[in-house]
Amino acid sequence: MKNPTLVVAGMATLAAGTYAFRLSGQLLRARITFPPRAARLLEAAAVILLAALVATTALTEGHGFSGFARPAGVLVAGVLAWRKAPFLVVVIAAAAVTALLRLAGVP
Amino acid sequence: MRSIWRTLDHRPLADIGLACLAVFFIGLSYGAIAVASGFPLWVPAVQSVLVLAGASEFLFVGIVAAGGSPIAAALAGLLVNSRHLPYGLALPPGVTGRRWGRLLGTHVMNDESVVFALAQPDLERKRAAYWACGLGVLACWPGGAVIGALIGSAVHDTSAFGLDAMFPAVILALIVKDLRNPRTLRAALAGAAIALAAAPFLPAGLPVLLALPAVLLLVRESAVTPQADRQPVVAQAGSTP
């Protein structure tokens, strides 16, 4: 860690800004009444963001492809989750499949 | 907080417990990665408590470790965490608490607590699920990060254990019941495709936000769909026993 002061400043910025995001959505909502359809769309919007987060964290590393092992593990987890497997089974399967593929030499 | 245990059924409580356990394990890998990247233990420890948003903390540590400016790393982390604004919009008022409790209730807003809250059928159970999961994550994420940092010197290669596949798997497992709605699934796939197409060119975090216009697919469709066919995306999933 080269510059501790700057790192602390970065951590404080991230913490304060994140809290502001968490608060501002609620404050906006308290001032505006949403019709039920808009409320459902907002819930769907959160699901879309999370799905995009799954896709990017599963398939990319920096600006490139993450390799096959990680998305394969996440795919197995997705199939298990779709078939209503217990949560822990889903998560451990993702790690296990990825680890085994890497052990077998898959990037 | 005792009312949480009376309000929630065993099933959501067990799921929340498992989600927190998964968060603990991801926290282990976070602490280990942070220490392996050259940070002292207090960085993941303090950050896991004060930021309490895993993906952005991984990103922050990764960018700074790669030689990036901590301020740029913080801005990238904020880009990732901007999804908490629509989360706050999606939560019904009262879920995060009132008066002073809301200061903490706002801080424990995260992917898991929001999803578990939205899956519950009524306000009382939404609030109970939100707090159970939020406080659980508040204990497990920093706990995992500190223990991970302590054993970090022992486990150098977290990718060998496939730990990096756990984060997307956790999120996917949490949204899979919403994806059973074909229209939500279509919009989610479109959003994911946009994010993936943008990922090679844009700074981390931005591609995820670019997925948001995919919600327009639902706006147009719900305008032409008959009333009877419209059902709440999350409430529908939550009402199944």
Side-chain angles (χ1 to χ4, degrees):
Chain A
M1 212 166 68
K2 284 182 204 138
N3 191 337
T5 317
L6 209 54
V7 169
V8 169
M11 289 166 69
T13 306
L14 182 56
T18 302
Y19 195 88
F21 277 132
R22 286 177 168 131
L23 189 61
S24 50
Q26 300 176 68
L27 295 180
L28 277 175
R29 169 138 187 168
R31 271 160 188 70
I32 318 164
T33 34
F34 287 95
R37 202 181 115 207
R40 283 200 300 277
L41 283 177
L42 286 172
E43 288 183 358
V47 173
I48 290 169
L49 280 178
L50 289 170
L53 191 64
V54 170
T56 51
T57 53
L59 287 163
T60 66
E61 180 71 52
H63 290 297
F65 180 47
S66 65
F68 293 98
R70 192 196 301 163
V74 176
L75 184 66
V76 169
V79 171
L80 286 171
W82 189 266
R83 305 188 69 167
K84 299 184 175 170
F87 187 82
L88 196 61
V89 171
V90 171
V91 175
I92 288 176
V97 168
T98 302
L100 287 173
L101 283 174
R102 284 185 183 141
L103 195 66
V106 178
Chain B
M1 285 306 112
R2 289 191 75 92
S3 64
I4 287 172
W5 315 113
R6 286 200 301 270
T7 306
L8 285 178
D9 300 330
H10 289 298
R11 184 60 193 273
L13 265 185
D15 287 350
I16 287 169
L18 289 174
C20 291
L21 190 66
V23 164
F24 175 80
F25 282 114
I26 301 169
L28 281 181
S29 71
Y30 167 57
I33 288 168
V35 170
S37 309
F39 289 94
L41 185 142
W42 63 264
V43 171
V46 169
Q47 204 167 26
S48 59
V49 174
L50 294 183
V51 178
L52 198 64
S56 68
E57 295 175 46
F58 271 112
L59 193 62
F60 181 88
V61 164
I63 290 175
V64 176
S69 147
I71 301 301
L75 294 178
L78 284 176
L79 215 50
V80 172
N81 287 345
S82 56
R83 69 182 186 281
H84 290 86
L85 197 147
Y87 285 172
L89 283 170
L91 285 175
V95 169
T96 54
R98 299 185 198 290
R99 297 170 189 276
W100 292 106
R102 195 173 175 192
L103 288 176
L104 181 63
T106 296
H107 187 56
V108 298
M109 180 190 293
N110 55 52
D111 300 332
E112 291 87 356
S113 63
V114 170
V115 180
F116 276 114
L118 293 180
Q120 293 298 314
D122 54 63
L123 182 63
E124 198 187 353
R125 274 182 277 191
K126 279 184 200 292
R127 188 188 303 141
Y130 179 86
W131 279 90
C133 188
L135 293 177
V137 168
L138 181 61
C140 290
W141 176 249
V146 168
I147 296 171
L150 289 173
I151 60 175
S153 49
V155 185
H156 278 302
D157 191 9
T158 48
S159 70
F161 296 98
L163 296 183
D164 51 323
M166 285 173 82
F167 180 76
V170 167
I171 305 297
L172 184 57
L174 288 171
I175 61 170
V176 77
K177 62 188 179 323
D178 298 306
L179 298 179
R180 287 183 197 282
N181 179 317
R183 286 166 45 209
T184 309
L185 177 64
R186 223 175 306 149
L189 286 175
I194 297 170
L196 284 176
F201 312 106
L202 296 174
L206 204 54
V208 170
L209 290 179
L210 283 182
L212 209 49
V215 80
L216 291 174
L217 286 174
L218 296 171
V219 176
R220 209 189 51 209
E221 286 180 27
S222 60
V224 294
T225 312
Q227 186 79 31
D229 197 36
R230 292 194 218 156
Q231 284 184 6
V233 176
V234 175
Q236 188 188 22
S239 63
T240 51

